[in-house]
Amino acid sequence: MAFTPRVFSGMQPTGNLHLGNYLGAMVQWVEMQKTHDCIFCVVDMHAITMAVSVWGGPSELPGQIRSVAAAYIAAGIDPKRSILFNQSQVSEHAELAWVFNCVARLGWLNRMTQFKEKAGKDRENASVGLYDYPVLMAADILAYRATHVPVGEDQKQHLELARDIAQKFNNDFAESIRKAGIDDGQFFPLPEPVIIGPATRVMSLRDGTKKMSKSDASDLSRINMTDDADTIARKIQKAKTDPEPLPSEEAGLETRPEADNLVGIYAALAGKPKAAVLREYGGAQFSTFKKALAEVAVSRIGPVNAEMKRLLADPAEIDRILAEGARRARAIAKPIVDQVKDVVGFLRS
Ligand code: AMP
Ligand code: TRP
C-alpha cells in the first residue's frame, strides 16, 4: 500500500514544559505543519505511567492537559489546520496497544533505556504501564498510519521499536492482510523518526552532559515555558560554563559540552546554524554571549508564554478544541483499527 505522508507526535502533560520540549519538538512541529497533514496529541495515558506524585493526580491532570494544549497553540500549532487532541479521548489507541502487546516481544522491551532510567533502582515497583509505554506509543502512531514522527533525540529508540512492531504485524498477519485486499501486504508503514534542528538534545544548564528535563530537582537546570523575563535572564546568567572565550568554529565546541549547549540553544532560538552563531560570537566572553542569549530567549519565549496565559483564561474553549480534535482523530483511527480487528480475526458487531 502506498502510504500518504502523515505526521504524528505527542507530549506528556506532566510538569512544566521546558526549552527542550519547545526546541526539540514543538518548533519542528510548527515547521512540518506547513507542508504535511499533522496530528498532535497530549498523551495523558502516558503521563499516568509514572507515580501519582509526578503527574499530580486527578486534581492536577485536567489543568496539565489544558496547559500543554495551550502551549501547542501558543507555539504556533493551528488546531484548524492540524489535529490537536487528547489521547484518552480516542479509545482506539488503547485497543490497538493491546493487539501490539501481543506482537511486541519481552526481549524488545527489555532493551529500552528510557524504562531503565525512569524506573531507577526500584524496578520491581515501577508500573506495568511504564514498561509498556513504548507499545502504546507505537499504537499512537500506527492508529493513523503515520509515516513521520518529529521528536527529540531521546525518543529514537522508541521509534525503532514502533518500526519493529509494524514490521512484525505485517509479517505475522501477511496472509490475512492480503485477504483483506492489501495486495503488497504492507498494512502499516514503518514510521520514520524526524530528528532535526540544532537542538534535538537540549542539555541541563547546570551540567552539559545531562539532558534538560522536567524531573531535574534543580529548577536552575531548565528554562520553563512559563518563566518570566527576569527568571530566564537569571538562569542563563547562572548557567555553567568554562573559562575560555567562545571558539569561532564548531570543532572548538567538541570538548566543551556547556558551551556547545548554549550555542545550540542560541542557534535554535535565532533560527540560524551553529556555525553562523560562532562566526558572530567567536572570541567573545560568556558574559557578552549570555546577555545576547537571554535577549533572544526572552523575545522568543515571552510571547508564547503570554499567549498561553491568554488561552488558559478560557478553559472551556480549550476543551472544545480538544473535543473537536478527538472527533477528527477518531474519524481516521477507527476505520484503521476496525481493519486491524478484521485482520487479527476478531468478530465485530
Ligand atoms: P516529554 O516531555 O518526555 O513528553 O517529551 C516531549 C518531546 O520533547 C519529545 O519529542 C522529546 O524528545 C522532546 N524533548 C524532551 N526533552 C528534550 C530535550 N532536553 N532536548 C530536546 N528535546 C527534548
Ligand atoms: N514518548 C514521547 C515522549 O515522552 C511522547 C509520545 C507518546 C509520543 N506517544 C507518542 C511522541 C507518539 C511521538 C509519537 O516524548
Side-chain angles (χ1 to χ4, degrees), residues 15-19 204-206 210 212-228 231-232 234-236 238-239:
N16 272 337
L17 291 184
H18 55 74
L19 195 62
S204 156
L205 297 181
R206 306 299 297 166
K210 256 173 56 188
M212 184 179 286
S213 138
K214 290 167 185 173
S215 54
D216 197 311
S218 163
D219 199 51
L220 283 176
S221 71
R222 65 185 157 258
I223 293 177
N224 301 308
M225 296 308 288
T226 46
D227 285 345
D228 60 24
T231 311
I232 294 174
R234 189 168 49 84
K235 287 180 176 174
I236 291 177
K238 291 201 166 191

Side-chain angles (χ1 to χ4, degrees), residues 107-330:
W108 301 358
L109 287 178
N110 285 339
R111 287 197 287 274
M112 296 293 118
T113 54
Q114 193 166 82
F115 172 76
K116 291 176 197 165
E117 277 163 29
K118 286 193 179 176
K121 287 207 179 71
D122 194 7
R123 202 175 293 181
E124 295 292 302
N125 200 31
S127 75
V128 176
L130 186 66
Y131 185 71
D132 202 31
Y133 178 116
V135 176
L136 177 59
M137 183 165 159
D140 295 340
I141 298 163
L142 294 168
Y144 303 89
R145 291 198 169 108
T147 53
H148 295 84
V149 185
V151 282
E153 178 74 36
D154 60 346
Q155 295 301 311
K156 196 169 170 196
Q157 196 185 35
H158 290 163
L159 258 295
E160 278 157 17
L161 187 92
R163 292 167 66 90
D164 288 343
I165 291 176
Q167 181 84 64
K168 188 165 191 307
F169 182 93
N170 289 347
N171 291 345
D172 286 359
F173 296 100
E175 208 183 302
S176 184
I177 290 169
R178 287 210 175 75
K179 278 198 192 126
I182 301 175
D183 293 337
D184 66 1
Q186 297 301 301
F187 189 91
F188 286 121
L190 308 188
E192 278 180 37
V194 181
I195 302 174
I196 46 169
T200 53
R201 192 168 166 80
V202 177
M203 308 308 276
S204 156
L205 297 181
R206 306 299 297 166
D207 177 351
T209 62
K210 256 173 56 188
K211 197 178 73 160
M212 184 179 286
S213 138
K214 290 167 185 173
S215 54
D216 197 311
S218 163
D219 199 51
L220 283 176
S221 71
R222 65 185 157 258
I223 293 177
N224 301 308
M225 296 308 288
T226 46
D227 285 345
D228 60 24
D230 288 347
T231 311
I232 294 174
R234 189 168 49 84
K235 287 180 176 174
I236 291 177
Q237 203 191 358
K238 291 201 166 191
K240 185 174 168 206
T241 49
D242 56 45
E244 301 297 318
L246 282 172
S248 25
E249 284 176 8
E250 271 189 86
L253 291 172
E254 264 162 30
T255 51
R256 300 173 64 187
E258 282 85 15
D260 189 21
N261 189 37
L262 294 184
V263 170
I265 292 174
Y266 186 103
L269 286 169
K272 296 179 184 170
K274 280 206 250 184
V277 177
L278 292 178
R279 270 200 298 279
E280 201 177 335
Y281 287 99
Q285 297 295 333
F286 275 106
S287 50
T288 312
F289 181 66
K290 281 179 167 180
K291 274 202 197 96
L293 177 58
E295 242 165 65
V296 68
V298 169
S299 75
R300 277 297 291 274
I301 295 168
V304 178
N305 194 346
E307 179 63 5
M308 252 179 95
K309 281 204 184 110
R310 194 188 67 76
L311 291 162
L312 285 168
D314 188 358
E317 172 63 8
I318 296 181
D319 292 358
R320 202 195 52 72
I321 291 172
L322 289 174
E324 171 61 13
R327 191 191 61 72
R328 289 167 62 204
R330 189 173 318 105

